[in-house]
Amino acid sequence: EVQLVESGEGLVQPGGSLRLSCAASGFTFSSSCMHWVRQTPGKGLVWISRINNDGSSTTYADSVKGRFTISRDNAKNTLYLQMNSLRAEDTAMYYCATARGSNTHFDYWGRGTLVTVSS
Amino acid sequence: DIVMTQSPDSLAVSLGERATINCKSSQSVLYSSNNKNYLAWYQQKPGQPPRLLIYWASTRESGVPDRFSGSGSGTDFTLTISSLQAEDVAVYYCQHYYNTPFTFGPGTKVDIK
């Protein structure tokens, strides 16, 4: 059974940093492209980043480019999102999701981890 | 960026009746080299993550009931629930994966009338 478990939830002040993790199991993590997607009540689902299967290629939404870094450790079956210079508008539920290829649908989603940016 | 729109914002359908959700992309998501539409549909129930229902615009994901179907090509797509069941109450999102950023529609909330 495919499982994606996000962690790293927290309350952080504007300008602060947080690192999210996504532990994967039940599939060949090292063969899968991975994504981070966030969701707020007001703005719905927003894709924010993608990393290819070996970590050699990353892509970001303009809203997080230069502030967020996606990475992965295939030996640990874990995906990461390092978030710096956080803003109030980054407050959201963050989901990791798998995809079979770079431009394919998102097969499985984790249950999400909540990030709140507030003073 | 490709903008995804959905209509209606919400709809209420009687049990056993058909529900139809429309999705429109601001530019074609049909890739000519493989004739595939880079369009997916997801279902999200309260407190749960999205669940993949349909990909390549019309391919049903394994385990998804056959009352769910997807159609359309280019810029106009439809998700149909042929006979609404109580467990289908959810928000439905379309998404393109033609190029980055992979944008989602705003969602359509489906309720029981």
Side-chain angles (χ1 to χ4, degrees), chain A:
Chain A
E1 179 194 3
V2 172
Q3 282 206 319
L4 296 169
V5 180
E6 300 93 338
S7 60
E9 172 172 320
L11 169 64
V12 61
Q13 292 190 336
S17 298
L18 202 62
R19 188 174 87 155
L20 306 183
S21 299
C22 169
S25 61
F27 65 103
T28 308
F29 181 73
S30 59
S31 297
S32 296
C33 188
M34 297 295 295
H35 298 263
W36 287 100
V37 177
R38 67 187 182 188
Q39 184 171 33
T40 60
K43 285 201 167 185
L45 292 163
V46 178
W47 171 85
I48 58 172
S49 187
R50 171 187 70 186
I51 187 167
N52 71 341
N53 66 308
D54 66 6
S56 61
S57 175
T58 59
T59 316
Y60 299 92
D62 287 346
S63 60
V64 305
K65 200 174 295 182
R67 301 188 300 123
F68 290 12
T69 302
I70 190 172
S71 63
R72 64 192 298 160
D73 185 336
N74 285 348
K76 295 182 177 179
N77 285 355
T78 303
L79 174 73
Y80 302 101
L81 185 69
Q82 177 66 44
M83 303 186 295
N84 299 330
S85 303
L86 282 161
R87 307 166 180 167
E89 54 264 35
D90 295 318
T91 295
M93 180 71 77
Y94 284 74
Y95 297 101
C96 61
T98 69
R100 298 170 204 180
S102 293
N103 283 52
T104 60
H105 47 278
F106 299 175
D107 301 279
Y108 298 98
W109 299 61
R111 297 199 66 84
T113 190
L114 184 62
V115 174
T116 304
V117 183
S118 176
S119 54

Side-chain angles (χ1 to χ4, degrees), chain B residues 43-51 86-92:
Chain B
Q43 174 194 64
Q44 188 176 32
K45 297 181 180 180
Q48 296 185 19
R51 171 199 179 195
E87 61 264 33
D88 301 334
V89 169
V91 179
Y92 293 84

Side-chain angles (χ1 to χ4, degrees), chain B residues 7-41:
Chain B
S7 62
D9 295 336
S10 64
L11 74 161
V13 175
S14 300
L15 288 172
E17 295 300 304
R18 178 184 299 260
T20 301
I21 301 169
N22 300 301
C23 172
K24 192 174 185 69
S25 56
S26 61
Q27 64 189 72
S28 176
V29 297
L30 174 63
Y31 195 40
S32 55
S33 66
N34 59 12
N35 201 37
K36 286 187 173 183
N37 287 283
Y38 283 53
L39 190 285
W41 289 95

Side-chain angles (χ1 to χ4, degrees), chain B residues 31-87:
Chain B
Y31 195 40
S32 55
S33 66
N34 59 12
N35 201 37
K36 286 187 173 183
N37 287 283
Y38 283 53
L39 190 285
W41 289 95
Y42 301 89
Q43 174 194 64
Q44 188 176 32
K45 297 181 180 180
Q48 296 185 19
R51 171 199 179 195
L52 176 66
L53 295 178
I54 303 284
Y55 56 95
W56 303 128
S58 60
T59 302
R60 195 180 307 112
E61 172 70 335
S62 176
V64 173
D66 60 7
R67 61 180 180 273
F68 291 92
S69 64
S71 63
S73 184
T75 61
D76 292 278
F77 302 91
T78 300
L79 175 70
T80 301
I81 310 172
S82 60
S83 175
L84 191 76
Q85 304 300 303
E87 61 264 33

